[in-house]
Amino acid sequence: MVHKIIIAFVIFTPLVLSTVINKVEKCNLPFSIKKEIESYKGFVTKIINSVNNQFKHSTYNHLDDFINAYGNRIAGSKNLENAIDYILRKSDLYNLENVHGEEVQVPRWVRGKESATLLYPLYKDLPMLGLGSSVGTPLEGIRAKAVVVSSFDELHKLSKILKGKIVVYNEKYSHYKETVVYRSDGASIASQYGAVATLIGSITPLSLATPHTGWQQYAENITKIPTACITKEDANLLHGMYKRGKPIYIEIKMEARTLTSAISRNIIAEIMGNKLPDKVVVVSGHIDSWDVGEGAIDDGVGAFISWNALAILKALGLTARRTIRTILWTAEEEGYIGAFAYAKAHQNETKNLDFVMESDTGIFTPLSFTYGGLPEVGCILQEILNLFTETNITNIQLSIDGGPDISKWISDGVPGAALFGNLEQYFWYHHSAADTMVAVQPDALDEVTALWAAVSFIIADLSFDMPKHLTSYEFKENDI
Amino acid sequence: MVHKIIIAFVIFTPLVLSTVINKVEKCNLPFSIKKEIESYKGFVTKIINSVNNQFKHSTYNHLDDFINAYGNRIAGSKNLENAIDYILRKSDLYNLENVHGEEVQVPRWVRGKESATLLYPLYKDLPMLGLGSSVGTPLEGIRAKAVVVSSFDELHKLSKILKGKIVVYNEKYSHYKETVVYRSDGASIASQYGAVATLIGSITPLSLATPHTGWQQYAENITKIPTACITKEDANLLHGMYKRGKPIYIEIKMEARTLTSAISRNIIAEIMGNKLPDKVVVVSGHIDSWDVGEGAIDDGVGAFISWNALAILKALGLTARRTIRTILWTAEEEGYIGAFAYAKAHQNETKNLDFVMESDTGIFTPLSFTYGGLPEVGCILQEILNLFTETNITNIQLSIDGGPDISKWISDGVPGAALFGNLEQYFWYHHSAADTMVAVQPDALDEVTALWAAVSFIIADLSFDMPKHLTSYEFKENDI
């Protein structure tokens, strides 16, 4: 997942629901609805049994084969398109319906070779990852004296000495949303004072000497300077030297550049509804990843529980009243490009969207469901999740928040929910070489696959539509 | 800490105490002893208050200054000797007594440049760390086809196809002592079948794409082949390829070599006893480290709680009946070289050793005390630890085990105890670039410094000697 908080959604949520609900406590669902949902208990048991027997570890094995064949998949790369072709072929093979790709124009940023080297007071390689959209350095690199700060406040106070310097941020990690501004805005803020490059301590609650990449954006009217993340260990080391008054010299070489945009595709596959085929429940994750590691956690697991949920329902011959559609978004990492393009291209069909689901924060426990919509939506979801009490799936809570790729729809009045994993652990791996199959637990994938398949099926099969919410918010071009 | 289990100790412990004691439950200490120990309650409070006020974060700050000045410190390096000089100077500055270094001959293994590259089926740098005592490759490197196994059992079954191959171990981590045999013996076992090099998935319960180094030993009469650890992520990736029948080609280049041995020093500093100065309580950690990261966890914290415990006692003007001696061992990582040399050189003084203490597994909570000696020793320790109940130091347990550097003495009948941190977390950082000050918590260091200072002082000050145990074991040359 990328870091960007969509302003649309931030503006929107308070209008609809004013407090965070950790557990839906005040529900007055009609008895008939509760009874109807309860009637799916046997179905849930069947799905769980199927996933634990006939389809045991199938999500893991599908993902493992896929990762072994394609590895990581950055937007604009040939490898991503090959990976998309593979999923389309597999979708046909598993008899999913309406299988197709929908073209999207995506940015094409390429890393190239890159290095950062501490030259003085000691010679040391600084493992690093250039940030998405960063410009490169001249071929001979940038050599400059460094200034190390722990916050933007400290930076502003040192504004007079930053001209010609490399700024190193050794910020403290508090919470991803709070801390990621150093990665996203650090270059622009240092550039306005004349800094020539920025190195940022990686955005993670736990470092084992691992650099993490991610998207960044340049503000308007500033000089674009090269920017990269280094390890927290090295940021701390440099800070220690700086605080002791040692002059610090660093060399940065980056070939990073942005090429002309490319065409990628969102992947669509369905199980058509048997009564109301035009009405749709979406289950989704994103197929693209960063260009390091394997993109297994971000968002291989989210994409594959969505895709395999449909494959399993199909194999079991289960069709719901409404259509269940899996969408695997492209170019999420560059700012929800695929999801927003899809929402825009299909905005006339928004009225037919019954519910949108997304998984893009891993599957580390404890898991929670976070939903956007009317309180009644929360009550219905809670009732459905109650059907899972006999499994190992626990700690499922409802709270008001949105998943990044579905946020546009929620802001347009379509109710939806995101599966949230343990964020602390998720960010250990996020956007780094550590995002690999080693971090994926096959049993955990089975559990969430069963959850994903059953919840999407039940919502698609209910006798009533999920209640929509009103919103005063309208889609604006510059939200993208 | 190195991995080696000293056979002497393994043989010894069952002779003395036959079961593991997790909590000393059956104690019948004389009332007078309990009363005497209880009388130190005020002293413990004083130490804790001093550490939390006058000396707040002093262990962290001392260590941070030291690490910033010297970084990592491998045996045989000039840097280690400079670091030792620094501690000796500081010890004089803090008015510790009998400050001196004692010379020890230590191995001198140097890493040099090194790399491992996956050439086929895709081109990928494999981050790696050569293992201590490994030979290097020819200048042009070794290029060979790889065989990937998950266990020695699998390796033995493939013995006929290993000639000329690079063996990759993708072993599962169970417990450090069990799993580390792949690192220590993996090269020798593969070499006997004609393998030309070995790459081993790093020995850690949690990987974030970090390679871990460590000592290894060649068996007698085998061809010494280059050996290194790669990340668990890459070991898993290669294993996935191998299981799918893909031919795998890897190139390894290592300049590693063993030079003529060097002279290093154990560091000794004391607070002389005011009644029984010849009797000694030892507090210790090791001053050397691996040549990656900063050696902050292994064993900066152990060395500095030992050293600073004395510095604080001295600053407070506290002297015990017996002498309290801090020893900072050299060349622990190559097999307790400093500790064993010291024990041998001072074997005539063994009778004067009252108690030996060591910290070499970090200070991550929960902490435990593990002791070697008669049950009475455990009872006395438990009684002393009971004085700490009002602090945050909890989960201190007694069990029978030994710390590596003090094991020789315990096997010679001297009672001792090691402070054991949470091993799971310790091995996240162990022998890697992640072993830095980022992983060290200043408050936690204060807690264990107070514990270390107070426990060593009380034992040194008691009216009675710690009871010694008998042993049938005698020191043998080849234990080293």
mmCIF file of all heavy atoms in Angstrom, chain A residues 64-65 68 206 208-210 232-233 236-237 240-241 244 246 294 429 433-434 436 438, chain B residues 64-65 68 206 208-210 232-233 236-237 240-241 244 246 294 428-429 433-434 436 438:
data_model
loop_
_atom_site.group_PDB
_atom_site.id
_atom_site.type_symbol
_atom_site.label_atom_id
_atom_site.label_comp_id
_atom_site.label_asym_id
_atom_site.label_seq_id
_atom_site.Cartn_x
_atom_site.Cartn_y
_atom_site.Cartn_z
ATOM 1 N N ASP A 64 2.972 -18.752 -4.373
ATOM 2 C CA ASP A 64 4.372 -19.165 -4.410
ATOM 3 C C ASP A 64 4.816 -19.428 -5.856
ATOM 4 O O ASP A 64 5.903 -19.011 -6.271
ATOM 5 C CB ASP A 64 4.550 -20.412 -3.539
ATOM 6 C CG ASP A 64 6.003 -20.692 -3.190
ATOM 7 O OD1 ASP A 64 6.775 -19.719 -3.033
ATOM 8 O OD2 ASP A 64 6.372 -21.867 -3.075
ATOM 9 N N ASP A 65 3.964 -20.112 -6.615
ATOM 10 C CA ASP A 65 4.282 -20.343 -8.033
ATOM 11 C C ASP A 65 4.423 -19.014 -8.781
ATOM 12 O O ASP A 65 5.344 -18.817 -9.576
ATOM 13 C CB ASP A 65 3.157 -21.152 -8.709
ATOM 14 C CG ASP A 65 3.227 -22.626 -8.357
ATOM 15 O OD1 ASP A 65 4.280 -23.086 -7.860
ATOM 16 O OD2 ASP A 65 2.220 -23.333 -8.579
ATOM 17 N N ASN A 68 7.507 -17.138 -7.670
ATOM 18 C CA ASN A 68 8.716 -17.780 -8.184
ATOM 19 C C ASN A 68 8.905 -17.478 -9.666
ATOM 20 O O ASN A 68 10.031 -17.345 -10.144
ATOM 21 C CB ASN A 68 8.663 -19.290 -7.930
ATOM 22 C CG ASN A 68 10.060 -19.870 -7.835
ATOM 23 O OD1 ASN A 68 10.633 -20.255 -8.849
ATOM 24 N ND2 ASN A 68 10.638 -19.881 -6.633
ATOM 25 N N LEU A 206 10.456 -1.473 13.001
ATOM 26 C CA LEU A 206 11.531 -2.398 13.390
ATOM 27 C C LEU A 206 12.516 -2.510 12.241
ATOM 28 O O LEU A 206 12.143 -2.894 11.134
ATOM 29 C CB LEU A 206 10.969 -3.795 13.685
ATOM 30 C CG LEU A 206 12.037 -4.883 13.914
ATOM 31 C CD1 LEU A 206 12.750 -4.677 15.241
ATOM 32 C CD2 LEU A 206 11.423 -6.274 13.860
ATOM 33 N N LEU A 208 16.041 -4.243 10.802
ATOM 34 C CA LEU A 208 17.184 -5.154 10.886
ATOM 35 C C LEU A 208 18.126 -4.801 9.746
ATOM 36 O O LEU A 208 18.454 -5.625 8.906
ATOM 37 C CB LEU A 208 16.724 -6.612 10.843
ATOM 38 C CG LEU A 208 15.847 -7.067 12.013
ATOM 39 C CD1 LEU A 208 15.426 -8.521 11.847
ATOM 40 C CD2 LEU A 208 16.576 -6.903 13.347
ATOM 41 N N ALA A 209 18.507 -3.514 9.739
ATOM 42 C CA ALA A 209 19.442 -2.992 8.742
ATOM 43 C C ALA A 209 18.895 -3.111 7.324
ATOM 44 O O ALA A 209 19.639 -3.395 6.391
ATOM 45 C CB ALA A 209 20.805 -3.681 8.875
ATOM 46 N N THR A 210 17.602 -2.866 7.197
ATOM 47 C CA THR A 210 16.939 -3.028 5.912
ATOM 48 C C THR A 210 16.429 -1.679 5.408
ATOM 49 O O THR A 210 15.664 -1.024 6.111
ATOM 50 C CB THR A 210 15.733 -3.976 6.078
ATOM 51 O OG1 THR A 210 16.146 -5.108 6.824
ATOM 52 C CG2 THR A 210 15.173 -4.404 4.737
ATOM 53 N N LYS A 232 17.645 2.616 9.218
ATOM 54 C CA LYS A 232 17.540 3.368 10.467
ATOM 55 C C LYS A 232 18.859 3.317 11.227
ATOM 56 O O LYS A 232 19.231 4.269 11.910
ATOM 57 C CB LYS A 232 16.429 2.770 11.340
ATOM 58 C CG LYS A 232 15.035 3.092 10.861
ATOM 59 C CD LYS A 232 13.989 2.328 11.633
ATOM 60 C CE LYS A 232 13.742 2.912 12.999
ATOM 61 N NZ LYS A 232 12.375 3.460 13.143
ATOM 62 N N GLU A 233 19.554 2.188 11.098
ATOM 63 C CA GLU A 233 20.836 2.036 11.794
ATOM 64 C C GLU A 233 21.834 3.090 11.295
ATOM 65 O O GLU A 233 22.549 3.705 12.093
ATOM 66 C CB GLU A 233 21.404 0.631 11.554
ATOM 67 C CG GLU A 233 20.696 -0.478 12.316
ATOM 68 C CD GLU A 233 19.412 -0.970 11.656
ATOM 69 O OE1 GLU A 233 18.976 -0.387 10.636
ATOM 70 O OE2 GLU A 233 18.837 -1.951 12.166
ATOM 71 N N ASN A 236 20.889 6.615 12.325
ATOM 72 C CA ASN A 236 21.265 6.820 13.728
ATOM 73 C C ASN A 236 22.777 7.018 13.881
ATOM 74 O O ASN A 236 23.239 7.874 14.654
ATOM 75 C CB ASN A 236 20.801 5.625 14.564
ATOM 76 C CG ASN A 236 21.038 5.826 16.043
ATOM 77 O OD1 ASN A 236 20.452 6.725 16.647
ATOM 78 N ND2 ASN A 236 21.915 5.020 16.627
ATOM 79 N N LEU A 237 23.541 6.232 13.137
ATOM 80 C CA LEU A 237 25.004 6.369 13.170
ATOM 81 C C LEU A 237 25.426 7.775 12.734
ATOM 82 O O LEU A 237 26.236 8.434 13.406
ATOM 83 C CB LEU A 237 25.631 5.320 12.235
ATOM 84 C CG LEU A 237 27.138 5.405 12.019
ATOM 85 C CD1 LEU A 237 27.882 4.984 13.281
ATOM 86 C CD2 LEU A 237 27.577 4.544 10.838
ATOM 87 N N GLY A 240 24.570 10.327 15.312
ATOM 88 C CA GLY A 240 25.527 10.298 16.422
ATOM 89 C C GLY A 240 26.795 11.067 16.091
ATOM 90 O O GLY A 240 27.329 11.803 16.929
ATOM 91 N N MET A 241 27.283 10.904 14.887
ATOM 92 C CA MET A 241 28.477 11.633 14.457
ATOM 93 C C MET A 241 28.198 13.137 14.414
ATOM 94 O O MET A 241 29.009 13.951 14.865
ATOM 95 C CB MET A 241 28.882 11.175 13.050
ATOM 96 C CG MET A 241 29.398 9.749 13.003
ATOM 97 S SD MET A 241 29.526 9.187 11.274
ATOM 98 C CE MET A 241 30.385 7.630 11.541
ATOM 99 N N ARG A 244 28.069 14.869 17.659
ATOM 100 C CA ARG A 244 29.402 15.005 18.259
ATOM 101 C C ARG A 244 30.289 15.993 17.484
ATOM 102 O O ARG A 244 31.486 16.085 17.723
ATOM 103 C CB ARG A 244 30.072 13.627 18.338
ATOM 104 C CG ARG A 244 29.487 12.762 19.449
ATOM 105 C CD ARG A 244 29.915 11.325 19.334
ATOM 106 N NE ARG A 244 29.376 10.506 20.415
ATOM 107 C CZ ARG A 244 28.164 9.973 20.429
ATOM 108 N NH1 ARG A 244 27.352 10.159 19.403
ATOM 109 N NH2 ARG A 244 27.735 9.260 21.453
ATOM 110 N N LYS A 246 31.237 15.994 14.382
ATOM 111 C CA LYS A 246 32.117 15.498 13.323
ATOM 112 C C LYS A 246 31.609 15.955 11.957
ATOM 113 O O LYS A 246 30.421 15.845 11.677
ATOM 114 C CB LYS A 246 32.158 13.969 13.338
ATOM 115 C CG LYS A 246 32.763 13.366 14.595
ATOM 116 C CD LYS A 246 32.710 11.844 14.539
ATOM 117 C CE LYS A 246 33.224 11.228 15.841
ATOM 118 N NZ LYS A 246 33.055 9.773 15.887
ATOM 119 N N GLU A 294 9.753 -9.384 -3.146
ATOM 120 C CA GLU A 294 8.913 -10.183 -4.040
ATOM 121 C C GLU A 294 7.473 -9.686 -4.101
ATOM 122 O O GLU A 294 6.649 -10.293 -4.775
ATOM 123 C CB GLU A 294 8.930 -11.655 -3.571
ATOM 124 C CG GLU A 294 10.321 -12.276 -3.584
ATOM 125 C CD GLU A 294 10.373 -13.682 -2.980
ATOM 126 O OE1 GLU A 294 9.386 -14.122 -2.355
ATOM 127 O OE2 GLU A 294 11.423 -14.336 -3.141
ATOM 128 N N TYR A 429 8.081 -5.332 6.903
ATOM 129 C CA TYR A 429 8.439 -5.891 5.605
ATOM 130 C C TYR A 429 8.224 -4.933 4.435
ATOM 131 O O TYR A 429 8.838 -5.081 3.386
ATOM 132 C CB TYR A 429 7.587 -7.155 5.356
ATOM 133 C CG TYR A 429 7.781 -8.229 6.389
ATOM 134 C CD1 TYR A 429 6.926 -8.353 7.478
ATOM 135 C CD2 TYR A 429 8.861 -9.105 6.301
ATOM 136 C CE1 TYR A 429 7.125 -9.329 8.445
ATOM 137 C CE2 TYR A 429 9.064 -10.090 7.264
ATOM 138 C CZ TYR A 429 8.181 -10.196 8.334
ATOM 139 O OH TYR A 429 8.387 -11.154 9.284
ATOM 140 N N ALA A 433 13.345 -5.460 0.661
ATOM 141 C CA ALA A 433 13.793 -6.770 0.177
ATOM 142 C C ALA A 433 13.248 -7.896 1.048
ATOM 143 O O ALA A 433 13.317 -9.060 0.677
ATOM 144 C CB ALA A 433 15.322 -6.816 0.156
ATOM 145 N N ALA A 434 12.710 -7.547 2.220
ATOM 146 C CA ALA A 434 12.172 -8.567 3.127
ATOM 147 C C ALA A 434 10.726 -8.929 2.806
ATOM 148 O O ALA A 434 10.178 -9.847 3.418
ATOM 149 C CB ALA A 434 12.273 -8.079 4.570
ATOM 150 N N THR A 436 8.871 -10.955 1.158
ATOM 151 C CA THR A 436 9.004 -12.192 0.374
ATOM 152 C C THR A 436 8.094 -13.281 0.938
ATOM 153 O O THR A 436 7.458 -13.103 1.972
ATOM 154 C CB THR A 436 10.445 -12.735 0.409
ATOM 155 O OG1 THR A 436 10.678 -13.303 1.707
ATOM 156 C CG2 THR A 436 11.476 -11.665 0.109
ATOM 157 N N VAL A 438 8.920 -15.753 2.530
ATOM 158 C CA VAL A 438 9.354 -16.191 3.869
ATOM 159 C C VAL A 438 8.415 -15.645 4.943
ATOM 160 O O VAL A 438 8.194 -16.274 5.976
ATOM 161 C CB VAL A 438 10.815 -15.748 4.140
ATOM 162 C CG1 VAL A 438 11.202 -15.975 5.587
ATOM 163 C CG2 VAL A 438 11.777 -16.480 3.212
ATOM 164 N N ASP B 64 27.271 4.395 23.830
ATOM 165 C CA ASP B 64 27.027 5.146 22.597
ATOM 166 C C ASP B 64 28.294 5.895 22.164
ATOM 167 O O ASP B 64 28.663 5.903 20.980
ATOM 168 C CB ASP B 64 25.859 6.112 22.828
ATOM 169 C CG ASP B 64 25.282 6.651 21.523
ATOM 170 O OD1 ASP B 64 25.275 5.912 20.521
ATOM 171 O OD2 ASP B 64 24.844 7.814 21.508
ATOM 172 N N ASP B 65 28.968 6.525 23.131
ATOM 173 C CA ASP B 65 30.233 7.208 22.814
ATOM 174 C C ASP B 65 31.267 6.220 22.277
ATOM 175 O O ASP B 65 31.960 6.489 21.296
ATOM 176 C CB ASP B 65 30.813 7.877 24.074
ATOM 177 C CG ASP B 65 30.093 9.171 24.432
ATOM 178 O OD1 ASP B 65 29.358 9.701 23.575
ATOM 179 O OD2 ASP B 65 30.262 9.633 25.577
ATOM 180 N N ASN B 68 30.291 4.934 18.860
ATOM 181 C CA ASN B 68 30.465 5.974 17.852
ATOM 182 C C ASN B 68 31.937 6.151 17.509
ATOM 183 O O ASN B 68 32.296 6.445 16.369
ATOM 184 C CB ASN B 68 29.841 7.287 18.334
ATOM 185 C CG ASN B 68 29.448 8.164 17.158
ATOM 186 O OD1 ASN B 68 30.255 8.952 16.688
ATOM 187 N ND2 ASN B 68 28.225 7.986 16.668
ATOM 188 N N LEU B 206 13.984 -14.525 12.844
ATOM 189 C CA LEU B 206 13.259 -13.496 12.088
ATOM 190 C C LEU B 206 14.211 -12.832 11.109
ATOM 191 O O LEU B 206 15.222 -12.279 11.517
ATOM 192 C CB LEU B 206 12.691 -12.411 13.018
ATOM 193 C CG LEU B 206 12.078 -11.207 12.302
ATOM 194 C CD1 LEU B 206 10.760 -11.586 11.625
ATOM 195 C CD2 LEU B 206 11.860 -10.045 13.261
ATOM 196 N N LEU B 208 14.720 -9.960 8.117
ATOM 197 C CA LEU B 208 14.263 -8.859 7.264
ATOM 198 C C LEU B 208 15.334 -8.644 6.200
ATOM 199 O O LEU B 208 15.895 -7.568 6.058
ATOM 200 C CB LEU B 208 14.002 -7.601 8.099
ATOM 201 C CG LEU B 208 12.869 -7.705 9.126
ATOM 202 C CD1 LEU B 208 12.712 -6.403 9.916
ATOM 203 C CD2 LEU B 208 11.546 -8.063 8.448
ATOM 204 N N ALA B 209 15.613 -9.734 5.488
ATOM 205 C CA ALA B 209 16.587 -9.710 4.395
ATOM 206 C C ALA B 209 17.990 -9.350 4.873
ATOM 207 O O ALA B 209 18.719 -8.628 4.195
ATOM 208 C CB ALA B 209 16.123 -8.772 3.280
ATOM 209 N N THR B 210 18.333 -9.862 6.047
ATOM 210 C CA THR B 210 19.608 -9.527 6.664
ATOM 211 C C THR B 210 20.491 -10.767 6.761
ATOM 212 O O THR B 210 20.083 -11.758 7.365
ATOM 213 C CB THR B 210 19.362 -8.991 8.096
ATOM 214 O OG1 THR B 210 18.304 -8.042 8.046
ATOM 215 C CG2 THR B 210 20.610 -8.363 8.673
ATOM 216 N N LYS B 232 17.742 -15.500 4.620
ATOM 217 C CA LYS B 232 16.749 -16.570 4.583
ATOM 218 C C LYS B 232 15.841 -16.393 3.371
ATOM 219 O O LYS B 232 15.371 -17.380 2.787
ATOM 220 C CB LYS B 232 15.893 -16.516 5.860
ATOM 221 C CG LYS B 232 16.599 -17.034 7.088
ATOM 222 C CD LYS B 232 15.785 -16.795 8.341
ATOM 223 C CE LYS B 232 14.654 -17.776 8.492
ATOM 224 N NZ LYS B 232 14.832 -18.686 9.637
ATOM 225 N N GLU B 233 15.595 -15.137 2.996
ATOM 226 C CA GLU B 233 14.738 -14.871 1.845
ATOM 227 C C GLU B 233 15.358 -15.453 0.579
ATOM 228 O O GLU B 233 14.660 -16.078 -0.236
ATOM 229 C CB GLU B 233 14.550 -13.350 1.669
ATOM 230 C CG GLU B 233 13.623 -12.700 2.693
ATOM 231 C CD GLU B 233 14.285 -12.380 4.022
ATOM 232 O OE1 GLU B 233 15.471 -12.776 4.224
ATOM 233 O OE2 GLU B 233 13.645 -11.748 4.862
ATOM 234 N N ASN B 236 15.355 -19.255 0.562
ATOM 235 C CA ASN B 236 14.008 -19.735 0.217
ATOM 236 C C ASN B 236 13.725 -19.578 -1.281
ATOM 237 O O ASN B 236 13.140 -20.465 -1.916
ATOM 238 C CB ASN B 236 12.970 -18.959 1.031
ATOM 239 C CG ASN B 236 11.568 -19.486 0.819
ATOM 240 O OD1 ASN B 236 11.267 -20.624 1.166
ATOM 241 N ND2 ASN B 236 10.705 -18.672 0.223
ATOM 242 N N LEU B 237 14.163 -18.462 -1.826
ATOM 243 C CA LEU B 237 13.982 -18.226 -3.273
ATOM 244 C C LEU B 237 14.697 -19.302 -4.088
ATOM 245 O O LEU B 237 14.116 -19.907 -5.010
ATOM 246 C CB LEU B 237 14.536 -16.839 -3.631
ATOM 247 C CG LEU B 237 14.594 -16.484 -5.119
ATOM 248 C CD1 LEU B 237 13.188 -16.242 -5.662
ATOM 249 C CD2 LEU B 237 15.460 -15.241 -5.347
ATOM 250 N N GLY B 240 12.966 -22.599 -3.832
ATOM 251 C CA GLY B 240 11.768 -22.626 -4.686
ATOM 252 C C GLY B 240 12.121 -22.940 -6.130
ATOM 253 O O GLY B 240 11.450 -23.729 -6.805
ATOM 254 N N MET B 241 13.184 -22.330 -6.612
ATOM 255 C CA MET B 241 13.635 -22.599 -7.983
ATOM 256 C C MET B 241 14.073 -24.050 -8.136
ATOM 257 O O MET B 241 13.748 -24.723 -9.111
ATOM 258 C CB MET B 241 14.825 -21.688 -8.326
ATOM 259 C CG MET B 241 14.453 -20.224 -8.443
ATOM 260 S SD MET B 241 15.958 -19.208 -8.511
ATOM 261 C CE MET B 241 15.219 -17.594 -8.855
ATOM 262 N N ARG B 244 11.415 -26.580 -8.322
ATOM 263 C CA ARG B 244 10.706 -26.539 -9.602
ATOM 264 C C ARG B 244 11.587 -27.028 -10.761
ATOM 265 O O ARG B 244 11.233 -26.900 -11.933
ATOM 266 C CB ARG B 244 10.200 -25.121 -9.875
ATOM 267 C CG ARG B 244 9.003 -24.752 -9.015
ATOM 268 C CD ARG B 244 8.656 -23.283 -9.076
ATOM 269 N NE ARG B 244 7.490 -22.963 -8.253
ATOM 270 C CZ ARG B 244 7.522 -22.771 -6.940
ATOM 271 N NH1 ARG B 244 8.670 -22.851 -6.288
ATOM 272 N NH2 ARG B 244 6.422 -22.498 -6.267
ATOM 273 N N LYS B 246 14.454 -25.935 -11.832
ATOM 274 C CA LYS B 246 15.238 -24.956 -12.598
ATOM 275 C C LYS B 246 16.726 -25.142 -12.307
ATOM 276 O O LYS B 246 17.115 -25.265 -11.150
ATOM 277 C CB LYS B 246 14.825 -23.535 -12.220
ATOM 278 C CG LYS B 246 13.386 -23.184 -12.563
ATOM 279 C CD LYS B 246 13.065 -21.759 -12.124
ATOM 280 C CE LYS B 246 11.598 -21.435 -12.359
ATOM 281 N NZ LYS B 246 11.218 -20.123 -11.823
ATOM 282 N N GLU B 294 27.599 -2.944 14.830
ATOM 283 C CA GLU B 294 28.358 -2.165 15.809
ATOM 284 C C GLU B 294 28.724 -2.969 17.058
ATOM 285 O O GLU B 294 29.321 -2.426 17.974
ATOM 286 C CB GLU B 294 27.537 -0.927 16.220
ATOM 287 C CG GLU B 294 27.212 0.000 15.045
ATOM 288 C CD GLU B 294 26.280 1.161 15.415
ATOM 289 O OE1 GLU B 294 25.710 1.148 16.525
ATOM 290 O OE2 GLU B 294 26.136 2.073 14.584
ATOM 291 N N TRP B 428 17.553 -11.998 16.475
ATOM 292 C CA TRP B 428 17.182 -11.154 15.327
ATOM 293 C C TRP B 428 18.384 -10.328 14.874
ATOM 294 O O TRP B 428 18.560 -10.075 13.691
ATOM 295 C CB TRP B 428 16.080 -10.154 15.704
ATOM 296 C CG TRP B 428 14.751 -10.705 16.057
ATOM 297 C CD1 TRP B 428 14.357 -12.018 16.089
ATOM 298 C CD2 TRP B 428 13.605 -9.948 16.461
ATOM 299 N NE1 TRP B 428 13.053 -12.101 16.474
ATOM 300 C CE2 TRP B 428 12.560 -10.859 16.709
ATOM 301 C CE3 TRP B 428 13.353 -8.578 16.629
ATOM 302 C CZ2 TRP B 428 11.282 -10.429 17.119
ATOM 303 C CZ3 TRP B 428 12.098 -8.167 17.035
ATOM 304 C CH2 TRP B 428 11.079 -9.084 17.279
ATOM 305 N N TYR B 429 19.165 -9.875 15.870
ATOM 306 C CA TYR B 429 20.234 -8.903 15.614
ATOM 307 C C TYR B 429 21.615 -9.536 15.488
ATOM 308 O O TYR B 429 22.517 -8.954 14.885
ATOM 309 C CB TYR B 429 20.267 -7.883 16.759
ATOM 310 C CG TYR B 429 18.979 -7.123 16.913
ATOM 311 C CD1 TYR B 429 18.005 -7.507 17.839
ATOM 312 C CD2 TYR B 429 18.708 -6.022 16.111
ATOM 313 C CE1 TYR B 429 16.813 -6.821 17.962
ATOM 314 C CE2 TYR B 429 17.520 -5.319 16.226
ATOM 315 C CZ TYR B 429 16.573 -5.724 17.151
ATOM 316 O OH TYR B 429 15.396 -5.045 17.267
ATOM 317 N N ALA B 433 24.475 -6.737 10.505
ATOM 318 C CA ALA B 433 24.556 -5.277 10.411
ATOM 319 C C ALA B 433 23.510 -4.606 11.287
ATOM 320 O O ALA B 433 23.572 -3.401 11.525
ATOM 321 C CB ALA B 433 24.379 -4.843 8.961
ATOM 322 N N ALA B 434 22.536 -5.384 11.766
ATOM 323 C CA ALA B 434 21.480 -4.814 12.607
ATOM 324 C C ALA B 434 21.871 -4.748 14.079
ATOM 325 O O ALA B 434 21.118 -4.202 14.886
ATOM 326 C CB ALA B 434 20.204 -5.630 12.452
ATOM 327 N N THR B 436 23.178 -2.873 16.328
ATOM 328 C CA THR B 436 23.606 -1.478 16.508
ATOM 329 C C THR B 436 22.898 -0.845 17.703
ATOM 330 O O THR B 436 22.025 -1.452 18.310
ATOM 331 C CB THR B 436 23.263 -0.614 15.268
ATOM 332 O OG1 THR B 436 21.841 -0.384 15.264
ATOM 333 C CG2 THR B 436 23.686 -1.285 13.975
ATOM 334 N N VAL B 438 20.653 1.219 17.665
ATOM 335 C CA VAL B 438 19.210 1.376 17.437
ATOM 336 C C VAL B 438 18.427 0.343 18.249
ATOM 337 O O VAL B 438 17.305 0.596 18.682
ATOM 338 C CB VAL B 438 18.885 1.260 15.926
ATOM 339 C CG1 VAL B 438 17.387 1.169 15.678
ATOM 340 C CG2 VAL B 438 19.484 2.435 15.167
#
